[in-house]
Each structure stands twice: as structure tokens, then as C-alpha cells.
Amino acid sequence: MPAIGAVRQVALSAGRDLDATLAFWHDVLGMTVHVRFDPPGIAFIMAGDVRLLFTDGLPAGTVYLDISGLDDFYASAKAAGVPFTAPPMLVHRDTEGLFGPAGESEWMAFLKDPAGNTIGLVERHPPEQPETSVRPS
């Protein structure tokens, strides 16, 4: 069996307008283009150690990104007109520590970029944070 390591790269659709897709990732998510090649019209954004490849000709995909301050980001982005497909919500209470420290809760919000890629924003809350906090709608 091969020794598979960490995820190196994820390919996402750039849609028909690479500039609009990259502008969204920069202006809304604060991520910058690592490198762009024209031609052929592809670009890379680094998410930690993982390369996000944006190119035309791919179906839209889904990527989950860690975020801190999810509620604040959601409130400010929504006020700026960013359309979310789902507001911050509790998706998992990790009582057994399957995905991180036991007792943490995982919250997610979802939005789409201009190419139709779904972006899941993920924040883990330690057990001492109340899980019934008021969430913006």
C-alpha cells in the first residue's frame, strides 16, 4: 500500500470568468492569489499548505475552510451583500473527539462563489463556550 500523506491540492471551477472568481475569494474571503498562469488561464490560492487550483472546464466543487470569528464574518459579509446559502449553524457536537478535542462543537456557514463552488466555513468551539448563543439569522 502507498503511504498517502496530506491533501496537496484541490481543483475548483473558475467558471467562465477567472477574474470574477478570484476577486470574490480575495474581496470576500481575504485570500490572495499565490500564482496565476495566462495562458492557460489558471490560478492558485494557498489555504494553509493546500493549493486551491482554479480553472475553467471543471464542475463546481465544495471546499471547507477553517475560520475564526465565524459569527462576526457572517454578520459583516451579509451586511455587505454577500449571499449565504446557510447561516452559521451547529453541525456536530464532537463528544467523542472524532474530529478534534472531545467536547468541542463544530459550526458551519455556507456561501457560493461566482463559479458556483460551495464554500463551507468551519469554526470549532471549545466546550466552555455556550452552544445556545444567539446566532444572527
Side-chain angles (χ1 to χ4, degrees):
M1 295 296 292
I4 301 296
V7 173
R8 173 74 55 200
Q9 180 170 297
V10 174
L12 296 169
S13 175
R16 297 193 184 274
D17 190 345
L18 179 60
D19 291 327
T21 299
L22 296 175
F24 177 90
W25 282 76
H26 179 267
D27 298 346
V28 174
L29 300 173
M31 300 177 82
T32 58
V33 173
H34 180 70
V35 65
R36 182 173 175 164
F37 298 103
D38 287 312
I42 64 173
F44 295 87
I45 291 175
M46 296 302 296
D49 292 332
V50 177
R51 295 184 300 237
L52 302 179
L53 162 65
F54 292 89
T55 186
D56 191 13
L58 295 176
T62 301
V63 64
Y64 294 81
L65 303 171
D66 284 336
I67 188 172
S68 59
L70 178 59
D71 287 334
D72 291 339
F73 173 78
Y74 173 77
S76 64
K78 189 166 174 73
V82 174
F84 281 78
T85 58
M89 68 185 104
L90 174 66
V91 295
H92 179 65
R93 286 192 176 94
D94 199 355
T95 56
E96 297 177 15
L98 297 173
F99 300 105
E104 286 190 344
S105 60
E106 195 162 280
W107 294 80
M108 292 185 189
F110 293 89
L111 61 156
K112 289 189 181 275
D113 72 8
N117 296 301
T118 298
I119 303 159
L121 300 174
V122 182
E123 183 173 46
R124 301 246 332 161
H125 292 191
E128 59 272 6
Q129 274 188 300
E131 303 200 10
T132 57
S133 65
V134 175
R135 298 268 169 188
S137 52

